[in-house]
Amino acid sequence: MKAAVLQKIQVLTIEERPQPHPGPGEVSVRVRAVGVCGSDVHYYQDGRIGTQVVTAPLVLGHECAGEIAELGEGVTDRHVGQRVAVEPGVPCRHCDMCKIGKYNLCYDMVFLGTPPIDGAYREYVVTAADFAHPIPDSMRLDQAAMCEPLAVGLHAVNLSGMKPGDSVAVLGAGSIGLYTLQCAMTAGAGATFVTDPLRYRLDIAKRLGAGRTLAPEEATEAIMEATGGSGVDVVFEAAGALDTPQQCFDIAARGGTVVFIGICSRDVQEVQFGIARRKELTIKLVRRFANVYPRSVALAAGGRVDLQCAITHHFPLGDIAEAFRLVENYEDGVVKAIIEM
Amino acid sequence: MKAAVLQKIQVLTIEERPQPHPGPGEVSVRVRAVGVCGSDVHYYQDGRIGTQVVTAPLVLGHECAGEIAELGEGVTDRHVGQRVAVEPGVPCRHCDMCKIGKYNLCYDMVFLGTPPIDGAYREYVVTAADFAHPIPDSMRLDQAAMCEPLAVGLHAVNLSGMKPGDSVAVLGAGSIGLYTLQCAMTAGAGATFVTDPLRYRLDIAKRLGAGRTLAPEEATEAIMEATGGSGVDVVFEAAGALDTPQQCFDIAARGGTVVFIGICSRDVQEVQFGIARRKELTIKLVRRFANVYPRSVALAAGGRVDLQCAITHHFPLGDIAEAFRLVENYEDGVVKAIIEM
Amino acid sequence: MKAAVLQKIQVLTIEERPQPHPGPGEVSVRVRAVGVCGSDVHYYQDGRIGTQVVTAPLVLGHECAGEIAELGEGVTDRHVGQRVAVEPGVPCRHCDMCKIGKYNLCYDMVFLGTPPIDGAYREYVVTAADFAHPIPDSMRLDQAAMCEPLAVGLHAVNLSGMKPGDSVAVLGAGSIGLYTLQCAMTAGAGATFVTDPLRYRLDIAKRLGAGRTLAPEEATEAIMEATGGSGVDVVFEAAGALDTPQQCFDIAARGGTVVFIGICSRDVQEVQFGIARRKELTIKLVRRFANVYPRSVALAAGGRVDLQCAITHHFPLGDIAEAFRLVENYEDGVVKAIIEM
Amino acid sequence: MKAAVLQKIQVLTIEERPQPHPGPGEVSVRVRAVGVCGSDVHYYQDGRIGTQVVTAPLVLGHECAGEIAELGEGVTDRHVGQRVAVEPGVPCRHCDMCKIGKYNLCYDMVFLGTPPIDGAYREYVVTAADFAHPIPDSMRLDQAAMCEPLAVGLHAVNLSGMKPGDSVAVLGAGSIGLYTLQCAMTAGAGATFVTDPLRYRLDIAKRLGAGRTLAPEEATEAIMEATGGSGVDVVFEAAGALDTPQQCFDIAARGGTVVFIGICSRDVQEVQFGIARRKELTIKLVRRFANVYPRSVALAAGGRVDLQCAITHHFPLGDIAEAFRLVENYEDGVVKAIIEM
């Protein structure tokens, strides 16, 4: 099968690799669509994200969907040809984190496209059967691949503990921000504010129903004014910018909640905890997701969330480097580029 | 001013009473609309609800709205003529329950129309200024009166801790059931089921978007089948029937939540806790509401909840006994009758 | 190996059975001590508990400890001879309940001594390695067997969400009640009340530090008086009596929590939910336990919980019927009888 | 009456002031003991804490206890001569924060010794009757003054949501750290670690039962080693140091909770949120306390918490500047200096 392999920093080649076959309880999936994630581009550019370093040739990609190609021994609740969204991280099911239900924190996680595990930019991937989630006929496979960033947003909303009527700000209108916004609206958000430096992304947020869309530098004042000086009940940081943590503290209401989703490219950030402390904020940090994939599929299938909103470009596998370049440079109104296979 | 006074069981008269005036921090409200609640009818019929007994002539009514007629000393954030939904219970603000934020459990609550406190079937009521909640121009006063049962539903949904995608059943499609349904949908309910013995009420639920509407006797089997045998994540009991608690346990999913809102006319109910225990259910019981009135107004004003859905009849104050009779007998497709004043 | 087999109602025989050997990821344990649980006696007496029916010869017993006799393939973190408390229920690790961390609600649970799974009254049992919990040298094996009812109590306390200083009542001073009491004290219980019809059991509770020990019929009045009429913050029902659920509602404080642990021998119980509703109680029902065994061992090892307190009798395997008879009839000051093997 | 007045930075004088008398619902308290808090010293040194600036002569002090001297109109549940611990912040009881039970976040808080409200370094203070908490005869008044930092610790433990058996680290062994430690132990902490640069403070923690006491610079490595590399479940930051936030993230376990109590003298702190995000930590920030004073008194009265542990020095009012100097310079083994009046 074909696979796009990161040979070293900024060098991607298309190689022929042996096709994998499923073991007991597993399925193989013929991959049809893979979303280009910011983290893929990080690995491509820098060879690392934080402590996770690429030390050998690696296949990237973890936002993927396709059709089941082969069933492993004992798999009876899936069938060949079934269209599935692939949840990219399979946990060990035995460690303490798995047993308490936080399998996203598993000590022995196998996550597609995270060193040293090969990812989804290849024709076939093998995964646990229960992590290949069936999708309805009405969902396209490129949309199904977007269940991954949607799952991040839904997990973030679940962690926030938000209640109907809570005012909400989402900082960053990339794919995760846009899906988080929609999940927050599904959970009954009252007033909603979205910030992003890119106007075309704010336009998408507006179309999805955001109450106010704001450039980051004007957002603090505008949000405080719009809320009568009290700030918003829940802030979702989905920008990964250097100064958005502080802005979260500034715009959160007393007793409010701040959810950090974004990954900042700089390790160290400066913040004033005093502001957060005087408001007695709760800060929840988000690590991927757990137990939300079937619901992500269902919310999209039921029309509560528009998966399509973030998809702006499609590329064949052979043009993957061009896709990465586009995403890296925020060119041509890109939010999410899909690699079609 | 005119007031409808419950003289004794089943005897209501219209009397002239002195008009009350607000003390410091209070306002008086010219009442324009009062909803007939099942509890009003209970008091009218039986002279009591549980341990709360009518021992002297009493003005009933607690679902009300009107215009501010007079401001007490020190009230600066309300104005005469302002249209308001009246939150009917004013707590002491000093007891332990008030201090921890559960003011609905206040040890010294003053609640309209609950013995020995006179209620809202009169031209003027006095209340704390911060319990007279401004409504937008777009909201009619009979609708504003419905913020009371809506507040019950919103409080119930908040207590449930439900998350987006949770499957939900609402047992009982009276006004509280209908508003609870809408709050659950606002909070992101996945599959929704509503039961009621009255078909015309189920039709309203259907119009509001309920997924399945069911007669109580067919509901258990239908819900279990529709959920693949697992049951629903959250059940709201808004019927107050003798056997609905057991049905809640039967249709709840493992690890699910049951919320008891309804008031049963019989004191003692029979249940099988074993079923609830094997599923490790959480049961939340609802006592009125706290801290949800402004949000109830906002959700309705923003079009998330249709206050109008339950309003089926209007009566002048002089015909209040007729209104009670109608509600008591479920005649003429009644859900909520409004007394207009 | 020898095993005590329930042939039919009230007929227990000692049989020779083939010794089981561990599969991959499993260990076999040479059982040394098994506690006689009320549920064992229920099965012995009635052949069933609720919907769980003994239809074929069955080995009972699930409160057990022993030494590891054999390691299955791939087990590297246990060793032969290691002394362990055996967590008696091994979940499937794949179903929705397992994935969210509520593995006690697993759809495919294998639980010792629950039909049709053979239990621990035999010389060897096989279990998953991570469900054989190492114990320190200071803990005797009969004490280690008591980690099972202790785990129930700790799980109940965790579910209660109790906070330091909460007043607590424990209804029922059998082994689960006594361990629940200790877990609640460990969690910072303020005033504590324990009820039981058996004076000798109350004496044990008193020695463990219970504030007040009361006969059930005097408890409601005494608790309400002692709490100034407000009732207790958290009530643990560990009696399984017919009328204790109602007593829980009667003695709980406004906004309080009631935790149902006990299993009632009668299916249907009568309660007044109105009392619970007016106090806006939360009711948590307990199904065994999950994720608490290591902590149960640690709390006992650290001296926070006295495992020994409930152990009153020891019997050899051959006298198991005599042990059952003793427990069934509450004879000779029995709380917990241990079968030694 | 006599009062110690901060005239300007580092200038404290003893002045004669008129004695205040209680209004309706209030009491006046003859102050007998006031603890010197780090925040008092901050105001004395810098004239400000964050955005709170001393612009006029101010009486500092908020950790106080005394005897009720006079009852305001309508106060029936207190009596003259009654010994009380004074909860120093009286909220408005009407704003949204008050109504939801987070009265520590009140928009109109009156807090002793916080500009522009005069504090407790004077012979009489007036407060709301329900914020003057009766203490038992067994509690000395200097101990009763320590209910204030104890309340901070208890509130922090409540916010943490910790469960019995959780491993806990407390960074900082000043009075708040020492009381937080004890509250955490009362709540069932498993392994406990305390850090402080001052050895004599660690010795107090050790006497209180801390498992390990560590210098800050050795703590990360020691804690990670002692926990088998997993870190602790709950970290309480009670140091207010520049680099402790990062250390909290470093030593917290996956899925763990970090509670920020300490006030840092520098506004801006540098942290790596990436570490916290990969562990999916929850961060709770603490603003004073709410609804814990009666329990703080009860826990101390019941012997669960040793109020005495932090009290190292006593000074007469006239020597208050000397007391401040001692505290500021960590001289003579000081933890808490009490001003006696």
Side-chain angles (χ1 to χ4, degrees):
Chain A
M1 65 170 183
K2 288 192 167 29
V5 183
L6 180 67
Q7 300 294 352
K8 55 181 184 176
I9 288 180
Q10 302 196 36
V11 180
L12 267 172
T13 60
I14 307 298
E15 284 186 8
E16 200 66 25
R17 290 274 183 102
Q19 180 180 333
H21 297 285
E26 295 181 331
V27 296
S28 77
V29 175
R30 174 60 175 88
V31 179
R32 294 293 181 187
V34 189
V36 176
C37 176
S39 64
D40 295 336
V41 178
H42 274 304
Y43 281 123
Y44 175 70
Q45 284 295 108
D46 304 331
R48 60 180 294 166
I49 294 180
T51 55
Q52 293 167 315
V53 183
V54 181
T55 55
L58 181 76
V59 179
L60 294 168
H62 57 274
E63 303 174 357
C64 66
E67 299 117 14
I68 291 182
E70 201 179 342
L71 301 177
E73 187 190 326
V75 176
T76 57
D77 54 356
R78 296 292 184 278
H79 61 265
V80 171
Q82 194 167 25
R83 302 165 74 247
V84 292
V86 177
E87 182 172 352
V90 179
C92 79
R93 310 182 198 260
H94 284 73
C95 73
D96 287 352
M97 291 296 119
C98 285
K99 281 186 185 165
I100 64 169
K102 299 184 178 183
Y103 68 70
N104 52 325
L105 306 180
C106 170
Y107 281 96
D108 201 16
M109 172 65 86
V110 175
F111 199 94
L112 290 175
T114 301
I117 308 296
D118 274 337
Y121 294 125
R122 48 179 164 145
E123 290 179 310
Y124 293 90
V125 296
V126 163
T127 190
D130 57 332
F131 283 71
H133 300 281
I135 59 170
D137 292 345
S138 58
M139 189 181 291
R140 293 212 319 265
L141 286 167
D142 58 347
Q143 295 170 340
M146 291 301 91
C147 286
E148 208 271 355
L150 172 55
V152 174
L154 183 56
H155 183 56
V157 167
N158 283 346
L159 285 181
S160 76
M162 62 170 282
K163 290 182 187 300
D166 276 349
S167 54
V168 167
V170 179
L171 309 190
S175 58
I176 287 178
L178 293 171
Y179 294 127
T180 299
L181 168 67
Q182 293 185 79
C183 291
M185 291 169 63
T186 298
T192 49
F193 304 86
V194 178
T195 75
D196 201 283
L198 300 172
R199 170 51 49 187
Y200 71 88
R201 295 187 171 194
L202 292 179
D203 290 342
I204 300 174
K206 199 75 189 176
R207 280 200 300 273
L208 293 170
R212 292 280 298 275
T213 53
L214 297 156
E217 64 275 12
E218 64 176 338
T220 301
E221 191 178 340
I223 290 171
M224 294 313 281
E225 189 187 331
T227 56
S230 67
V232 291
D233 300 309
V234 184
V235 188
F236 294 98
E237 200 287 331
L242 200 57
D243 52 0
T244 37
Q246 185 58 48
Q247 191 170 39
C248 290
F249 298 168
D250 291 339
I251 65 174
R254 294 186 184 195
T257 300
V258 172
V259 183
F260 285 168
I261 313 171
I263 301 176
C264 187
S265 58
R266 281 265 297 276
D267 280 352
V268 175
Q269 295 176 286
E270 292 189 337
V271 291
Q272 292 178 280
F273 282 117
I275 290 170
R277 192 183 45 70
R278 282 191 292 278
K279 295 179 179 176
E280 203 169 64
L281 300 183
T282 296
I283 306 172
K284 305 287 291 187
L285 295 116
V286 174
R287 173 63 163 169
R288 295 165 175 165
F289 42 76
N291 296 303
V292 291
Y293 239 80
R295 288 195 172 199
S296 297
V297 171
L299 287 174
R304 304 292 284 264
V305 170
D306 173 14
L307 283 169
Q308 184 64 37
C309 71
I311 302 176
T312 53
H313 293 73
H314 293 81
F315 291 86
L317 182 59
D319 292 349
I320 186 167
E322 167 63 13
F324 276 35
R325 203 191 51 74
L326 185 86
V327 169
E328 186 189 344
N329 296 311
Y330 302 104
E331 286 180 8
D332 192 29
V334 72
V335 182
K336 181 61 71 180
I338 301 285
I339 307 300
E340 289 181 311
M341 306 171 64
Chain B
M1 65 170 181
K2 286 190 166 34
V5 183
L6 180 66
Q7 300 294 352
K8 56 180 185 177
I9 288 180
Q10 303 196 34
V11 179
L12 268 172
T13 61
I14 307 297
E15 283 187 6
E16 200 66 26
R17 291 277 183 99
Q19 180 179 335
H21 297 285
E26 294 181 331
V27 296
S28 78
V29 175
R30 175 59 174 88
V31 179
R32 294 295 179 185
V34 189
V36 177
C37 176
S39 64
D40 295 336
V41 178
H42 275 304
Y43 281 124
Y44 174 70
Q45 285 295 110
D46 304 331
R48 62 179 295 166
I49 295 179
T51 56
Q52 294 168 313
V53 182
V54 181
T55 56
L58 182 75
V59 179
L60 294 168
H62 57 274
E63 302 175 356
C64 66
E67 298 118 14
I68 291 182
E70 202 177 341
L71 301 178
E73 189 190 325
V75 176
T76 58
D77 53 356
R78 296 291 185 276
H79 60 266
V80 171
Q82 194 168 23
R83 303 164 73 245
V84 292
V86 177
E87 183 174 349
V90 179
C92 78
R93 308 181 199 258
H94 284 74
C95 74
D96 287 352
M97 291 295 118
C98 284
K99 281 186 186 165
I100 63 169
K102 299 184 177 183
Y103 67 71
N104 53 324
L105 306 181
C106 170
Y107 280 97
D108 201 16
M109 173 65 87
V110 175
F111 199 95
L112 289 177
T114 300
I117 308 297
D118 275 338
Y121 294 125
R122 49 181 165 142
E123 290 179 309
Y124 293 90
V125 296
V126 162
T127 190
D130 57 331
F131 283 71
H133 300 280
I135 60 169
D137 292 345
S138 58
M139 190 182 288
R140 293 210 322 264
L141 286 167
D142 58 346
Q143 294 170 340
M146 291 301 91
C147 286
E148 208 270 352
L150 171 56
V152 174
L154 184 56
H155 182 56
V157 166
N158 283 346
L159 285 180
S160 76
M162 62 169 282
K163 290 181 187 303
D166 275 351
S167 53
V168 167
V170 179
L171 309 191
S175 58
I176 288 177
L178 293 171
Y179 294 127
T180 300
L181 168 67
Q182 292 183 82
C183 291
M185 290 169 65
T186 298
T192 50
F193 304 86
V194 179
T195 74
D196 201 283
L198 300 171
R199 170 52 49 187
Y200 71 89
R201 295 187 170 195
L202 293 180
D203 290 343
I204 300 173
K206 198 75 190 176
R207 280 199 299 274
L208 294 169
R212 290 281 298 274
T213 55
L214 297 156
E217 65 276 10
E218 64 175 338
T220 301
E221 191 178 340
I223 290 171
M224 295 313 281
E225 189 187 331
T227 56
S230 68
V232 290
D233 299 308
V234 184
V235 187
F236 295 98
E237 200 288 327
L242 200 56
D243 52 0
T244 36
Q246 184 58 48
Q247 191 170 38
C248 290
F249 298 167
D250 291 340
I251 64 175
R254 294 186 184 196
T257 300
V258 172
V259 183
F260 285 168
I261 313 171
I263 302 176
C264 186
S265 59
R266 282 264 298 276
D267 280 352
V268 176
Q269 294 176 286
E270 292 188 337
V271 290
Q272 292 178 279
F273 281 117
I275 290 169
R277 191 183 45 70
R278 281 191 292 276
K279 294 179 179 177
E280 198 166 87
L281 300 182
T282 295
I283 306 173
K284 304 288 291 187
L285 295 116
V286 174
R287 174 63 163 169
R288 295 164 176 166
F289 43 77
N291 297 304
V292 291
Y293 238 80
R295 289 196 170 198
S296 297
V297 171
L299 286 175
R304 303 292 285 264
V305 169
D306 173 14
L307 283 168
Q308 185 63 38
C309 70
I311 302 176
T312 53
H313 293 74
H314 294 81
F315 291 86
L317 182 59
D319 292 348
I320 186 169
E322 168 63 13
F324 276 36
R325 202 193 51 73
L326 185 85
V327 170
E328 185 189 346
N329 296 312
Y330 303 103
E331 286 181 9
D332 192 28
V334 72
V335 182
K336 180 62 68 179
I338 301 285
I339 307 299
E340 290 182 311
M341 305 172 64
Chain C
M1 66 170 182
K2 286 191 166 31
V5 183
L6 180 67
Q7 301 292 351
K8 55 180 186 178
I9 288 180
Q10 302 196 38
V11 178
L12 268 172
T13 61
I14 307 296
E15 284 188 7
E16 199 67 24
R17 290 277 183 100
Q19 181 179 334
H21 298 285
E26 295 183 330
V27 297
S28 79
V29 175
R30 173 61 173 90
V31 179
R32 294 295 181 188
V34 189
V36 176
C37 176
S39 64
D40 294 337
V41 178
H42 274 304
Y43 281 123
Y44 174 70
Q45 284 295 109
D46 304 330
R48 61 179 295 166
I49 295 179
T51 55
Q52 292 168 313
V53 183
V54 181
T55 54
L58 182 76
V59 178
L60 293 168
H62 57 273
E63 303 174 356
C64 65
E67 299 118 13
I68 290 181
E70 201 177 341
L71 301 178
E73 188 190 325
V75 176
T76 57
D77 54 355
R78 297 290 185 277
H79 60 265
V80 171
Q82 193 168 24
R83 301 164 75 246
V84 292
V86 177
E87 182 173 352
V90 179
C92 79
R93 308 183 200 258
H94 284 74
C95 74
D96 287 351
M97 291 296 118
C98 285
K99 281 186 185 165
I100 64 169
K102 300 185 176 182
Y103 69 69
N104 52 324
L105 306 180
C106 170
Y107 282 95
D108 201 17
M109 173 66 89
V110 175
F111 200 94
L112 290 175
T114 300
I117 308 296
D118 274 339
Y121 293 126
R122 49 181 165 141
E123 290 179 310
Y124 293 91
V125 295
V126 163
T127 190
D130 57 332
F131 283 72
H133 300 281
I135 60 170
D137 291 346
S138 58
M139 189 182 290
R140 294 209 321 262
L141 285 167
D142 58 347
Q143 294 170 341
M146 291 300 93
C147 287
E148 207 273 350
L150 171 56
V152 174
L154 183 55
H155 183 56
V157 166
N158 283 346
L159 285 181
S160 76
M162 63 171 284
K163 289 180 187 304
D166 276 349
S167 53
V168 168
V170 179
L171 310 190
S175 58
I176 287 178
L178 293 171
Y179 294 127
T180 300
L181 167 67
Q182 293 184 80
C183 290
M185 291 169 65
T186 298
T192 49
F193 304 86
V194 178
T195 75
D196 201 283
L198 299 172
R199 170 50 52 187
Y200 71 88
R201 295 188 169 194
L202 291 179
D203 290 343
I204 299 173
K206 198 77 192 174
R207 280 200 299 276
L208 293 170
R212 290 280 297 277
T213 53
L214 297 156
E217 64 276 13
E218 66 177 337
T220 300
E221 190 178 340
I223 290 171
M224 294 313 281
E225 188 185 331
T227 56
S230 67
V232 291
D233 298 309
V234 184
V235 187
F236 294 98
E237 200 287 330
L242 200 56
D243 52 0
T244 36
Q246 183 59 47
Q247 191 169 39
C248 290
F249 298 166
D250 291 340
I251 64 175
R254 294 185 184 196
T257 299
V258 172
V259 183
F260 285 169
I261 313 171
I263 300 176
C264 186
S265 59
R266 283 264 296 276
D267 279 351
V268 176
Q269 293 176 288
E270 292 188 337
V271 290
Q272 294 178 277
F273 281 116
I275 291 169
R277 193 182 45 72
R278 282 191 291 278
K279 294 178 179 178
E280 204 171 65
L281 300 182
T282 296
I283 306 172
K284 304 287 291 187
L285 295 116
V286 174
R287 173 65 163 168
R288 298 165 175 163
F289 43 75
N291 296 304
V292 291
Y293 239 80
R295 288 196 172 198
S296 297
V297 171
L299 287 174
R304 302 293 284 266
V305 169
D306 174 14
L307 282 168
Q308 184 63 38
C309 70
I311 301 175
T312 53
H313 292 75
H314 293 80
F315 291 87
L317 182 60
D319 292 349
I320 187 168
E322 168 63 12
F324 276 34
R325 202 192 50 74
L326 185 87
V327 170
E328 185 189 344
N329 296 311
Y330 302 102
E331 284 180 11
D332 192 29
V334 72
V335 181
K336 181 61 69 180
I338 301 285
I339 306 300
E340 291 182 311
M341 302 171 65
Chain D
M1 65 170 181
K2 285 192 169 27
V5 182
L6 179 67
Q7 301 293 350
K8 54 180 185 177
I9 289 181
Q10 301 198 35
V11 179
L12 268 171
T13 61
I14 307 296
E15 285 188 6
E16 200 67 24
R17 290 277 182 99
Q19 179 178 336
H21 298 285
E26 294 182 330
V27 297
S28 78
V29 175
R30 174 60 174 88
V31 179
R32 294 295 181 188
V34 189
V36 176
C37 176
S39 63
D40 296 337
V41 178
H42 274 304
Y43 281 123
Y44 175 71
Q45 286 294 110
D46 303 331
R48 60 179 296 167
I49 295 180
T51 57
Q52 294 168 315
V53 182
V54 180
T55 56
L58 180 77
V59 179
L60 294 168
H62 57 273
E63 303 175 357
C64 67
E67 298 118 14
I68 290 181
E70 201 178 342
L71 301 177
E73 187 191 326
V75 176
T76 57
D77 54 355
R78 296 291 185 278
H79 60 266
V80 170
Q82 194 168 24
R83 302 164 74 248
V84 293
V86 176
E87 183 173 351
V90 179
C92 78
R93 308 181 200 259
H94 284 73
C95 73
D96 288 351
M97 291 296 118
C98 285
K99 282 187 185 165
I100 64 170
K102 299 184 177 183
Y103 68 69
N104 53 324
L105 306 181
C106 171
Y107 280 97
D108 201 17
M109 173 66 87
V110 175
F111 199 95
L112 290 176
T114 300
I117 308 296
D118 275 339
Y121 294 125
R122 47 181 165 143
E123 290 179 311
Y124 293 90
V125 296
V126 164
T127 190
D130 56 331
F131 283 72
H133 301 281
I135 60 170
D137 292 345
S138 59
M139 189 181 290
R140 293 210 323 263
L141 285 167
D142 58 347
Q143 294 170 340
M146 291 300 94
C147 287
E148 207 271 352
L150 172 55
V152 174
L154 184 54
H155 182 56
V157 167
N158 283 346
L159 284 181
S160 77
M162 62 170 282
K163 291 180 186 303
D166 275 350
S167 54
V168 168
V170 179
L171 309 191
S175 58
I176 287 178
L178 293 170
Y179 294 128
T180 299
L181 167 67
Q182 292 184 82
C183 290
M185 290 169 66
T186 298
T192 50
F193 304 86
V194 179
T195 75
D196 201 283
L198 300 171
R199 169 52 49 189
Y200 70 88
R201 295 188 170 193
L202 292 179
D203 290 342
I204 300 173
K206 199 77 192 173
R207 282 199 299 275
L208 294 170
R212 290 281 296 277
T213 54
L214 296 155
E217 65 276 12
E218 65 176 336
T220 300
E221 190 178 339
I223 290 171
M224 295 312 283
E225 188 186 330
T227 56
S230 68
V232 291
D233 299 309
V234 185
V235 187
F236 295 99
E237 199 286 331
L242 199 57
D243 53 0
T244 38
Q246 184 59 47
Q247 190 169 41
C248 290
F249 299 167
D250 290 340
I251 65 175
R254 295 186 183 194
T257 299
V258 171
V259 184
F260 285 168
I261 313 172
I263 300 177
C264 186
S265 59
R266 280 266 296 277
D267 280 351
V268 175
Q269 294 176 287
E270 292 188 337
V271 291
Q272 294 178 277
F273 281 116
I275 291 169
R277 192 182 46 71
R278 282 191 291 277
K279 294 179 178 178
E280 198 167 88
L281 300 182
T282 295
I283 306 172
K284 305 287 291 188
L285 295 116
V286 174
R287 173 63 163 169
R288 295 163 175 166
F289 42 75
N291 297 302
V292 292
Y293 240 81
R295 289 196 171 198
S296 297
V297 172
L299 287 174
R304 303 291 284 264
V305 169
D306 173 14
L307 283 168
Q308 186 62 37
C309 70
I311 302 176
T312 54
H313 293 74
H314 294 80
F315 292 87
L317 182 59
D319 292 348
I320 186 168
E322 168 64 12
F324 277 35
R325 204 193 48 74
L326 185 86
V327 169
E328 185 189 344
N329 296 310
Y330 303 103
E331 285 181 9
D332 193 29
V334 70
V335 182
K336 181 63 69 180
I338 301 284
I339 307 299
E340 290 182 313
M341 306 171 64

